[in-house]
Amino acid sequence: MHVAFAALFFFGVLTMWVPEYWPVTVFQVGIFALAAVSVWRARLSPPAFAWPLVPLSFAVLWGIFQWLTGRTAYAFDTRLAILRWTTFLSVFLVGISLFRDDAVRRWFRSAIVWFAFLVSILATLQTFTSGGKVFWLFATPYTDKVMGPILSPNHYAAFIEAVLPIAVYLAVSRDRDSLLYSGMAATMYASVIASASRAGTVLTTAEIVLVPLLAWALGRASGRNVAAALLRIGFLFAFFTAVVGWQSVWGRFWTPDPLAVRRQLTVSTVHMAASHPWFGTGLGTWPTVYPRYAIVDIGAFANQAHDDWLEWTAEGGFPFGIMLATLFFWSLRPAFRSVWGLGVVAVFLHAIVDYPFSRPALGSWPILVLSLLACTAAESRKSGSPSPPV
């Protein structure tokens, strides 16, 4: 079952470029089916309770409440949002059911690291040689910075952010294969530089620095291993960056007003949230309601607020925003204790300036890591020891 679970995640990423909705449907139906099987299997021996079940369940029930009571500006989009949050909840349910087995957890972490590594190679090669075509075959509306199967550089960076800490942790905590994992981490990091995502560059840089330091401070890796791994990653990263070039992302950091459009969208979204503080405008309805609160014509269709946190608050009201904030705050302790789970924190922070949770296949990746963290934390409580290493 864990192989099918991984296959669905890999399928979801590899088809993110498809403009039609059928890949999302396949991904969601597969996740729902696995969730049903997991719930049935766990009826006699349920997994340990984990707090993320509360905010994720609340999100689904809140959307249903808005839909059934007519507290939504557009019922169709709210139904789609309910499906998206049900997908996230189902991913977590499947995860905490499967990952009670330590062997499955180790297999899954290894599988997603290898997948992200291979996608990063594909994305880097493709962005410089395909002229905006996915897999060098399928034309897109873009001419550059199409990162493998992911059209948005920020979405690609969020995907790498979720997985990169695992690769770095393996590089610093293992004597065997340390060079291999250092190369994988450096490749993934360089691919984010190639994408020219500013938020992605900042967050992945923080991950590269924090993971070794935390592993050393918590006694998961010796100072010698940490220094050696950092030296390998630094050398490989310098080489890969020289190949892909850093000028593009560096130039974006020096844009005169890098938050120009986002600032106007933020102001409009704050006004929207203030006008609907208790029940929101309806999950998924931000694009429908935004024109009423727009303070400037940006010259294009505004499909997202470019801030998932503000958008959630505007669509669901302050109770909804606060409940989801508890999900982030809960993740901090297990993420820092595990070290390899810091990718969850990075994606949540990235959501302040972008919308990684708007896509079911992409938003499910940090939820997947959350389920790994929940099971690891449950095992640590049972054994009475700190979070075990990968």
Side-chain angles (χ1 to χ4, degrees):
M1 186 169 165
H2 59 280
V3 176
F5 195 38
L8 281 171
F9 272 85
F10 300 164
F11 170 83
V13 168
L14 293 175
T15 57
M16 280 185 62
W17 61 275
V18 179
E20 290 83 11
Y21 201 76
W22 67 264
V24 178
T25 301
V26 171
F27 176 76
Q28 290 179 317
V29 169
I31 293 296
F32 296 156
L34 291 182
V37 173
S38 298
V39 171
W40 175 256
R41 286 182 173 181
R43 69 191 187 281
L44 299 178
S45 178
F49 170 79
W51 175 255
L53 286 170
V54 176
L56 292 174
S57 299
F58 179 85
V60 175
L61 296 174
W62 193 254
I64 294 174
F65 167 76
Q66 289 179 318
W67 172 39
L68 294 180
T69 60
R71 298 180 184 274
T72 173
Y74 190 20
F76 177 77
D77 279 346
T78 297
R79 289 196 294 268
L80 288 180
I82 293 170
L83 283 176
R84 184 171 69 250
W85 284 105
T86 304
T87 303
F88 296 157
L89 174 61
S90 298
V91 166
F92 192 79
L93 287 171
V94 176
I96 60 175
S97 177
L98 286 177
F99 299 146
R100 286 184 287 179
D101 185 338
D102 181 61
V104 173
R105 287 203 304 272
R106 286 186 282 110
W107 181 91
F108 215 94
R109 283 188 290 249
S110 179
I112 62 178
V113 167
W114 274 99
F115 175 72
F117 168 61
L118 294 175
V119 170
S120 69
I121 295 175
L122 166 70
T124 304
L125 292 175
Q126 179 186 287
T127 194
F128 291 108
T129 61
S130 71
K133 292 184 176 181
V134 175
F135 306 136
W136 294 272
L137 296 173
F138 305 101
T140 69
Y142 309 96
T143 57
D144 61 352
K145 302 307 177 190
V146 176
M147 302 302 296
I150 303 177
L151 301 182
S152 165
N154 276 307
H155 286 179
Y156 173 79
F159 163 63
I160 295 296
E161 288 160 14
V163 183
L164 178 61
I166 303 177
V168 179
Y169 184 82
L170 290 170
V172 301
S173 62
R174 285 190 175 183
D175 292 325
R176 181 184 178 185
D177 298 331
S178 177
L179 180 59
L180 169 65
Y181 288 111
S182 297
M184 294 169 75
T187 302
M188 287 189 269
Y189 184 32
S191 70
V192 174
I193 301 297
S195 75
S197 168
R198 289 166 296 186
T201 298
V202 171
L203 290 168
T204 52
T205 301
E207 289 176 336
I208 290 285
V209 173
L210 276 177
V211 170
L213 293 179
L214 280 174
W216 171 72
L218 295 175
R220 309 287 175 74
S222 66
R224 178 182 177 183
N225 284 358
V226 168
L230 282 176
L231 186 63
R232 295 189 197 100
I233 293 174
F235 175 79
L236 292 170
F237 167 67
F239 173 75
F240 294 148
T241 303
V243 174
V244 303
W246 50 268
Q247 293 84 357
S248 181
V249 68
W250 184 254
R252 294 199 68 209
F253 275 113
W254 291 98
T255 303
D257 191 1
L259 299 178
V261 174
R262 282 182 170 87
R263 185 167 55 251
Q264 280 92 15
L265 294 176
T266 296
V267 171
S268 300
T269 307
V270 168
H271 292 164
M272 191 187 305
S275 299
H276 305 82
W278 296 109
F279 300 105
T281 63
L283 300 187
T285 62
W286 188 92
T288 301
V289 180
Y290 167 74
R292 186 187 306 173
Y293 295 91
I295 61 174
V296 65
D297 183 1
I298 63 175
F301 173 66
N303 62 333
Q304 301 287 339
H306 287 266
D307 183 336
D308 273 341
W309 291 100
L310 274 180
E311 187 168 325
W312 291 335
T313 304
E315 294 178 346
F318 286 95
F320 186 76
I322 292 171
M323 184 59 74
L324 291 182
T326 67
L327 183 64
F328 168 69
F329 288 115
W330 178 91
S331 72
L332 292 176
R333 184 180 181 185
F336 277 89
R337 289 190 67 184
S338 70
V339 183
W340 52 262
L342 286 174
V344 170
V345 178
V347 178
F348 275 129
L349 292 177
H350 199 150
I352 297 174
V353 293
D354 205 68
Y355 46 100
F357 290 93
S358 66
R359 308 288 297 274
L362 178 63
S364 292
W365 280 83
I367 305 300
L368 171 70
V369 179
L370 269 180
S371 66
L372 284 164
L373 289 173
C375 290
T376 304
E379 183 179 304
S380 299
R381 288 193 299 270
K382 186 183 297 184
S383 63
S385 62
S387 299
V390 173

